Amino acid sequence: MGRFWWKCAALTDVGRVRRSNEDSVYCSAESGVFVVADGMGGHAAGEVASAIASEWIAERLCGACMTMELEQVEDRFRTAFVEAGREILRQAAENATRLGMGTTATVLLLRQDGQYIMGHIGDSRGYRVRDGVLSQITRDHSWVQEQVDRGMITPEQAKNHPQSNIITRALGTEAYPTPDLYDGTIESGDIFLLASDGLTDMLSDEHMLKILEAEEDPERCVARLVKEANLAGGLDNVSALVARIGEGS
Ligand code: CA
């Protein structure tokens, strides 16, 4: 089979201010499927929405996606997002306390043949570290990002902006949610990070990169990312998922 492998770990934490954790994570080294989802909606509905998203999407991406044509995998991603979104709408319609629930989802598929595919909706992010450089792969579906794109505010002003909670695309808010899809090749030594905004709002890119490079063991790495986000305030639920790529036996 393929020549690439990975070590991975995920951790989600309530943070230091919120009373419940509405984030969900899914991490399977075997299937190469990884999800971070950040739910919203009162009465514990947010955590229901993010759990539906991570479970439904993960279930639909496992198995054949490791060997399918890239185009087919991307179709599978789109379908998985739409189906998860519909399931959230269906469960919201059945239970008044869950009306309006929704979630972000950032999804990574790693393949042993050296391909990665990432799908994303909302403002949870996917990053890759290669040769000591941290690159954000996803682009937030948020009002603040739109202002940055229009040149109305700088990326620095976007960080911790008071309107940063307004997201422009999510699962559970529309009948046909459309994820943005990215694909590329993986190399030995690459590190992928998926994170909810409770991590990325608390830590600078430089700070995250320092931790990703210092902690080779993914378990220790996610523990330290979460710990330092909490030390920086822990204003929101914090989720971090790390996968490190290796090659050969
Ligand atoms: Ca959040």
Side-chain angles (χ1 to χ4, degrees):
M1 267 293 286
R3 54 201 188 99
F4 290 95
W5 48 268
W6 38 83
K7 285 184 188 169
C8 55
L11 186 62
T12 183
D13 186 81
V14 67
R16 296 181 61 194
V17 173
R18 300 285 172 93
R19 289 164 66 187
S20 62
N21 188 354
E22 299 190 308
D23 289 0
S24 293
V25 295
Y26 178 93
C27 179
S28 163
E30 193 186 349
S31 64
V33 176
F34 309 92
V35 184
V36 166
D38 176 351
M40 62 210 94
H43 301 283
E47 62 203 68
V48 174
S50 66
I52 293 169
S54 55
E55 283 159 25
W56 275 63
I57 294 172
E59 191 176 303
R60 272 150 191 77
L61 293 183
C62 61
C65 286
M66 199 55 85
T67 50
M68 272 181 189
E69 292 293 325
L70 205 56
E71 222 166 272
Q72 287 175 286
V73 177
E74 293 191 342
D75 281 344
R76 189 70 79 92
F77 262 75
R78 289 189 194 93
T79 309
F81 274 76
V82 169
E83 288 184 358
R86 284 194 185 160
E87 179 61 16
I88 291 165
L89 283 171
R90 192 186 68 76
Q91 292 200 24
E94 274 183 354
N95 183 335
T97 64
R98 293 182 182 168
L99 264 184
M101 70 176 173
T103 186
T104 72
T106 295
V107 183
L108 172 67
L109 172 73
L110 293 174
R111 306 212 319 181
Q112 289 157 348
D113 65 359
Q115 284 280 342
Y116 81 82
I117 296 97
M118 191 177 282
H120 129 268
I121 195 161
D123 66 352
S124 301
R125 293 179 179 171
Y127 296 85
R128 185 186 62 193
V129 179
R130 178 176 288 176
D131 301 329
V133 179
L134 178 80
S135 311
Q136 186 179 331
I137 297 170
T138 57
R139 200 175 181 79
D140 294 352
H141 299 137
S142 67
W143 182 85
V144 166
Q145 180 65 49
E146 286 180 0
Q147 301 311 302
V148 174
D149 293 344
R150 289 188 191 136
M152 307 296 281
I153 59 172
T154 65
E156 288 68 39
Q157 291 171 320
K159 204 111 180 163
N160 302 312
H161 193 281
Q163 253 62 266
S164 68
N165 59 333
I166 302 174
I167 62 173
T168 51
R169 249 195 265 177
L171 294 178
T173 57
E174 53 210 303
Y176 291 96
T178 318
D180 285 342
L181 299 179
Y182 305 87
D183 63 72
T185 54
I186 58 178
E187 286 178 10
S188 181
D190 282 354
I191 308 165
F192 285 86
L193 167 69
L194 306 188
S196 65
D197 62 345
L199 183 80
T200 56
D201 282 349
M202 290 295 112
L203 303 183
S204 67
D205 287 5
E206 295 72 29
H207 196 160
M208 293 194 293
L209 177 61
K210 217 174 106 191
I211 298 169
L212 288 163
E213 295 205 301
E215 301 289 353
E216 282 204 17
D217 175 48
E219 298 274 357
R220 290 174 56 100
C221 190
V222 292
R224 191 160 153 209
L225 285 164
V226 168
K227 184 179 160 198
E228 299 213 10
N230 280 331
L231 285 172
L235 299 180
D236 194 0
N237 307 144
V238 189
S239 297
L241 187 156
V242 168
R244 296 183 71 102
I245 310 295
E247 189 178 8
S249 49

